[in-house]
């Protein structure tokens, strides 16, 4: 049902708001990593925004050097300095298969985690991102933000 709704909505949106879907992945470069800017988000301090920027750069460096520019998920905790990385493939990353990621979801408090990852072949949210946001927030009571050009907030 959500897929159908998203497809219908995408057809009615102006062309510039759709994800740039490519039929191949884009390799991560040092230039791209260095261009990651600090994005000020509502209700998050500048210090935390800078931490998120640094974490996003680390995530891209891990994807570039250890995962052939495929998806990497970083889970950050606002309660401490923990940072968990989960390697995926070109089309997905599955945090449920990583024991540290599962434990973070199960033991964290409300609005304690931040969820960052890259997309090798698109530039915006995927249906899997939205599905994760909805299912993780309803079952585990965490608010997960996906930081890209846009930010999902509940």
């Amino acid at each position: 049902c959500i897929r159908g709704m998203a497809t219908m909505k995408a057809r009615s949106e102006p062309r510039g708001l759709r994800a740039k879907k490519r039929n191949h992945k884009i390799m991560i470069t040092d230039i791209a990593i260095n261009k990651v800017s600090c994005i000020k988000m509502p209700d998050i301090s500048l210090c935390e925004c800078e931490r998120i920027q640094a974490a996003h750069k680390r995530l891209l460096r891990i994807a570039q050097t250890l995962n052939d520019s495929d998806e990497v998920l970083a889970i950050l905790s606002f309660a401490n300095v923990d940072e968990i990385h989960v390697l995926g493939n070109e089309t997905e990353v599955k945090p449920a298969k990583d024991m540290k990621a599962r434990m973070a979801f199960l033991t964290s408090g409300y609005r304690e985690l931040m969820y960052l990852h890259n997309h090798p072949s698109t530039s915006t949210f995927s249906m899997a991102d939205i599905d994760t946001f909805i299912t993780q927030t309803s079952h585990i009571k965490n608010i997960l933000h996906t930081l890209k050009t846009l930010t999902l907030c509940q």
Side-chain angles (χ1 to χ4, degrees):
C1 182
I2 291 176
R3 286 183 198 272
M5 288 171 37
T7 302
M8 290 188 319
K9 185 165 177 60
R11 288 186 192 135
S12 65
E13 288 178 350
R15 187 174 186 94
L17 295 179
R18 293 186 199 158
K20 293 178 185 174
K21 178 70 176 156
R22 298 171 181 93
N23 60 0
H24 64 284
K25 75 176 165 185
I26 305 301
M27 300 305 284
I28 298 168
T29 64
D30 291 341
I31 292 168
I33 295 169
N34 292 332
K35 284 185 176 183
V36 172
S37 59
C38 183
I39 298 171
K40 180 63 181 124
M41 292 175 277
D43 303 322
I44 298 178
S45 71
L46 180 58
C47 182
E48 286 295 338
C49 289
E50 290 170 347
R51 176 181 173 213
I52 294 163
Q53 174 192 20
H56 204 107
K57 286 182 176 188
R58 280 190 299 279
L59 175 153
L60 291 174
R61 182 72 62 202
I62 290 167
Q64 178 194 44
T65 60
L66 302 177
N67 206 35
D68 193 35
S69 292
D70 284 343
E71 281 196 45
V72 173
L73 166 68
I75 302 168
L76 310 180
S77 172
F78 284 106
N80 55 47
V81 293
D82 287 348
E83 191 169 315
I84 299 165
H85 293 100
V86 182
L87 304 183
N89 60 35
E90 187 174 343
T91 59
E92 66 184 357
V93 60
K94 295 182 177 182
K97 291 192 172 191
D98 184 274
M99 190 165 95
K100 286 183 181 179
R102 284 194 317 269
M103 289 304 299
F105 289 134
L106 293 172
T107 60
S108 63
Y110 182 72
R111 297 191 88 160
E112 188 176 304
L113 298 179
M114 180 167 280
Y115 190 98
L116 308 172
H117 75 284
N118 64 308
H119 280 195
S121 60
T122 63
S123 61
T124 191
F125 298 108
S126 68
M127 287 307 297
D129 292 338
I130 295 167
D131 178 64
T132 299
F133 180 80
I134 292 167
T135 60
Q136 295 298 325
T137 57
S138 63
H139 293 296
I140 303 175
K141 295 185 179 179
N142 286 320
I143 300 297
L144 304 176
H145 301 279
T146 302
L147 176 65
K148 295 197 191 230
T149 306
L150 305 170
T151 303
L152 277 178
C153 297
Q154 184 180 43

